[in-house]
Amino acid sequence: MILQLNKWFAQFDLDIRKSKNARFMDQKVIPDVLSAVSECVLEFLGADIYKSFTKNDIWFSSYAQELITTSFNKPDLTEAKSEYDKFFAQPLKALAYAKILNEKKEGNTNYYSVNNCELLKYISLRERNALDFLYTYLEKVIEDSGLSYVFDSFFQQQDKHSFEVLRKTMFDFYKENTNIKKDYEPSRIFNKIINILAFKKKKKGSIKGSLSKTPIYLDEIRYNRVNWRDIGKEKGITREEFSKVLSENTSLEGYFKYSIQKAKKFVKLLHPFSEIHRFDQYPGSQAHHIFMESEFPEIADYPENIICITPNQHFCRAHPNNKTSVIDKDYQIICLLSKLDSIEMNHREGKEDYSLTDFIEVLNIGFKTDYFKKTMDYEELKHQIIKFSYHKS
């Protein structure tokens, strides 16, 4: 999909010096929000994908109400109006600048329509897709606007001097080329831009307006700032303690469940048929966690840990005698090998829907080991999964 994104952006000139548009990026244009707003747009439009809509249509839709209040644990959408105005307006403006949406102003109201349905759906499917979109989009805007040199210098040098040069250059650029003239607004936008790029490049970015001491983590570019994986990894808590954290933090719990459902939806779209049989007479209607969600919450939203299978495979084989609290260990190995086949086929087709590195992490967490190495290729992994399960049994 990165290739498709590059082809899409190659058609357009996104130079800010020409457009004078300061809203190509903003505070709320971050992966989880952009993905959620794109999802709300698609749900609102339904089958009439090309009809016109406004920010308020999306803002006050029943789907947005349920999604944002439950999954993001925010107030009713009729409250906190200033916050929600930005939550919906800013991503829509960015999508319009990226030509994913069309934008037309009538009076004081902006009207939108879908210009590229495929890319909008791609962004809506999961946070990682939205992140890849933003990274590719920002790189294009930066290149077209003649700013690549100062960003390249910062990411090569990674010191306070290059950070301050980049910061000043961007502030001056905004004041010279857009209607933003005060210092507080460029600072907020600058932090979002640099941290999205830094996370993808595994580099230092900006924390509270200063150069970060470490490479940027995903948590720094999320609206939901709590990263449940880091809770376990950094503090070394048990799964029981983890569950307690979830129950005590409704924001975390809501987004946790939302991320899992989104991952299941994503995998089911990729695999309409069982990933074990792969024939059209075996519809893959069940999204099954290979390593159970209740035991391994830290990998519960990994698509690499979710496999599409038939109801019989799910309730008779994966969970013997329909006991969903029990996993058949032998069938679990079949699921892992089949999932690895899906990942390999996806990769050979030139797609990037899965990460082999994430699959290896799933193996190590699920089996409570460090046996599986990131240097292993597909064939070696298949061999080692069988070897490991044989010795473990």
Side-chain angles (χ1 to χ4, degrees):
M1 184 56 75
I2 298 297
L3 181 61
Q4 288 178 254
L5 286 169
N6 284 325
K7 285 183 178 179
W8 175 253
F9 289 127
Q11 306 174 76
F12 309 110
D13 183 355
L14 302 184
D15 190 346
I16 305 301
R17 295 169 297 185
K18 298 176 183 177
S19 68
K20 308 297 181 182
N21 190 334
R23 300 304 167 193
F24 74 96
M25 186 64 182
D26 227 314
Q27 285 177 273
K28 300 298 185 290
V29 186
I30 43 183
D32 54 347
V33 173
L34 186 66
S35 183
V37 171
S38 298
E39 187 177 348
C40 290
V41 169
L42 290 168
E43 287 292 334
F44 172 78
L45 295 176
D48 193 1
I49 193 66
Y50 295 110
K51 72 179 177 182
S52 179
F53 62 92
T54 68
K55 170 200 66 183
N56 286 354
D57 288 332
I58 308 305
W59 180 351
F60 297 108
S61 66
S62 58
Y63 188 84
Q65 172 76 29
E66 175 67 20
L67 175 64
I68 305 307
T69 56
T70 302
S71 302
F72 288 79
N73 193 39
K74 299 302 175 185
D76 186 279
L77 296 189
T78 58
E79 304 174 21
K81 291 187 177 180
S82 176
E83 173 74 4
Y84 281 129
D85 182 79
K86 296 174 183 176
F87 190 97
F88 291 98
Q90 292 177 358
L92 292 176
K93 295 290 286 186
L95 287 169
Y97 196 80
K99 313 301 181 184
I100 305 300
L101 299 178
N102 301 307
E103 181 182 36
K104 181 175 66 174
K105 191 160 190 173
E106 296 182 7
N108 293 323
T109 304
N110 290 317
Y111 289 86
Y112 298 95
S113 62
V114 175
N115 189 38
N116 189 320
C117 185
E118 181 183 3
L119 287 183
L120 186 65
K121 287 180 179 178
Y122 171 77
I123 294 165
S124 75
L125 281 175
R126 59 175 178 165
E127 184 180 352
R128 182 192 289 175
N129 289 5
L131 175 60
D132 288 342
F133 164 80
L134 282 172
Y135 177 78
T136 309
Y137 166 62
L138 290 173
E139 288 270 275
K140 169 67 172 173
V141 172
I142 288 167
E143 181 181 359
D144 287 358
S145 301
L147 292 165
S148 294
Y149 74 97
V150 70
F151 278 91
D152 290 345
S153 177
F154 167 70
F155 285 122
Q156 288 170 8
Q157 297 180 38
Q158 291 281 273
D159 56 23
K160 290 183 179 180
H161 174 71
S162 61
F163 178 83
E164 289 303 327
V165 170
L166 175 58
R167 183 182 170 87
K168 184 178 186 306
T169 301
M170 286 301 294
F171 279 38
D172 291 344
F173 181 86
Y174 268 102
K175 291 176 182 178
E176 291 171 9
N177 295 287
T178 75
N179 60 0
I180 294 177
K181 304 303 177 185
K182 296 180 179 179
D183 285 340
Y184 71 90
E185 202 166 359
S187 177
R188 296 170 180 172
I189 302 170
F190 168 77
N191 288 338
K192 302 303 181 186
I193 294 173
I194 191 175
N195 284 345
I196 287 169
L197 299 176
F199 173 76
K200 288 290 289 183
K201 295 175 184 289
K202 298 179 172 60
K203 297 285 189 177
K204 295 178 183 178
S206 176
I207 302 294
K208 296 181 179 179
S210 299
L211 179 66
S212 63
K213 295 180 180 179
T214 61
I216 291 296
Y217 295 106
L218 183 59
D219 189 34
E220 295 296 334
I221 54 173
R222 270 187 171 141
Y223 189 72
N224 273 309
R225 293 297 300 274
V226 183
N227 187 342
W228 55 83
R229 295 188 190 89
D230 290 343
I231 291 173
K233 290 180 180 179
E234 293 182 358
K235 298 181 181 179
I237 64 175
T238 65
R239 287 194 176 86
E240 289 73 21
E241 291 171 325
F242 180 92
S243 297
K244 184 179 179 182
V245 171
L246 281 181
S247 64
E248 291 176 350
N249 189 325
T250 53
S251 174
L252 178 59
E253 183 179 20
Y255 196 72
F256 176 65
K257 292 179 178 178
Y258 169 62
S259 296
I260 293 170
Q261 290 306 311
K262 202 158 188 172
K264 285 184 174 182
K265 180 180 178 181
F266 175 72
V267 175
K268 289 175 78 171
L269 284 170
L270 290 178
H271 306 287
F273 309 117
S274 169
E275 292 180 68
I276 294 176
H277 285 303
R278 303 185 192 280
F279 297 112
D280 56 10
Q281 62 264 45
Y282 298 104
S285 60
Q286 301 288 308
H288 166 65
H289 278 104
I290 303 174
F291 293 104
M292 288 197 296
E293 172 189 337
S294 58
E295 289 190 37
F296 303 96
E298 62 268 50
I299 54 172
D301 70 332
Y302 277 43
E304 295 78 10
N305 185 37
I306 299 171
I307 187 167
C308 284
I309 54 180
T310 68
N312 281 342
Q313 289 170 337
H314 192 199
F315 298 116
C316 297
R317 297 186 176 182
H319 301 294
N321 300 316
N322 202 17
K323 293 182 179 179
T324 56
S325 61
V326 177
I327 286 283
D328 184 307
K329 297 296 183 181
D330 292 331
Y331 201 72
Q332 185 180 58
I333 301 304
I334 294 174
C335 288
L336 285 170
L337 293 173
S338 297
K339 191 73 216 182
L340 185 55
D341 278 342
S342 293
I343 295 169
E344 183 176 9
M345 286 188 283
N346 188 271
H347 173 74
R348 292 188 183 282
E349 290 171 2
K351 300 175 182 177
E352 299 176 347
D353 296 309
Y354 292 112
S355 163
L356 186 60
T357 300
D358 285 352
F359 180 75
I360 293 169
E361 185 176 355
V362 165
L363 290 173
N364 284 325
I365 291 174
F367 285 129
K368 303 176 185 178
T369 183
D370 58 0
Y371 180 82
F372 300 95
K373 309 301 180 186
K374 293 182 179 180
T375 54
M376 293 179 177
D377 60 17
Y378 293 102
E379 184 177 359
E380 179 67 11
L381 277 171
K382 291 171 189 175
H383 174 69
Q384 294 301 334
I385 288 170
I386 295 170
K387 183 178 177 181
F388 181 85
S389 62
Y390 175 79
H391 287 296
K392 192 175 182 183
S393 62

